[in-house]
Amino acid sequence: KPGNHLMIVRVTFLETPDTVEPSVSKIVLQEQKDIVIGLSGLAYIDSSDILLFTASVEHTANTTEDGPIGDSYLGYIKSFSSKLRQTEITPDTLINLTQKDKKFANHKIESVCVESATNDLILHLVADNDDGTSTLFKLKMDLPW
């Protein structure tokens, strides 16, 4: 069964991979029958200890073939550094972008990048639309802290 997991390792893993024990955490996303919401991109805001992520649904029978694009999501996990050793992490927020704004329909959001996290949160999202095109979105949202 597909699932969403983060594997966390120390930077020394690159130098001595045999001596570093990874930590694996399952990211628990709300899932409906026969629909898997898959993590697609991550961005960490060090100054506020928040992990932002994108996720999407693709209606396909396996993980290697494309299928019709479903909804896309943006979420975050507050106080992320204190949750690194938990076996399961539930996000604080999961926003269905497709329901929020029809501009996201038929776009599979695959990554997030933070431009600014001062007065507002300015984000860039990228969509891979499975048809040879990509779309960039820029959005502003209230700071979640």
Side-chain angles (χ1 to χ4, degrees):
K1 179 177 176 176
N4 294 291
H5 295 84
L6 290 179
M7 184 171 76
I8 296 137
V9 295
R10 297 195 180 280
V11 174
T12 56
F13 176 79
L14 298 174
E15 298 164 6
T16 55
D18 295 336
T19 63
V20 177
E21 185 70 28
S23 169
V24 178
S25 300
K26 180 178 183 178
I27 304 300
V28 181
L29 301 179
Q30 62 187 30
E31 296 186 4
Q32 302 165 5
K33 184 181 176 188
D34 299 327
I35 295 178
V36 176
I37 301 171
L39 287 177
S40 55
L42 304 170
Y44 180 67
I45 304 173
D46 184 49
S47 62
S48 56
D49 193 21
I50 288 183
L51 182 71
L52 295 168
F53 64 89
T54 55
S56 60
V57 172
E58 187 166 14
H59 303 285
T60 183
N62 60 59
T63 58
T64 58
E65 294 180 26
D66 286 332
I69 295 170
D71 291 344
S72 288
Y73 299 83
L74 175 65
Y76 58 82
I77 301 166
K78 293 181 184 178
S79 304
F80 182 70
S81 64
S82 69
K83 300 173 183 173
L84 290 175
R85 297 277 179 202
Q86 293 180 2
T87 56
E88 290 190 352
I89 301 172
T90 301
D92 294 288
T93 297
L94 184 64
I95 303 163
N96 185 321
L97 295 170
T98 312
Q99 289 179 356
K100 277 280 191 200
D101 192 326
K102 296 301 177 198
K103 290 179 185 173
F104 291 105
N106 299 314
H107 293 283
K108 186 172 54 171
I109 302 297
E110 299 228 341
S111 194
V112 57
C113 176
V114 179
E115 177 181 316
S116 172
T118 51
N119 297 327
D120 293 308
L121 195 54
I122 308 296
L123 304 175
H124 297 270
L125 307 177
V126 63
D128 169 16
N129 302 319
D130 291 343
D131 63 0
T133 65
S134 295
T135 305
L136 297 175
F137 295 92
K138 182 176 183 177
L139 59 106
K140 178 172 78 169
M141 59 186 285
D142 293 333
L143 297 173
W145 52 89

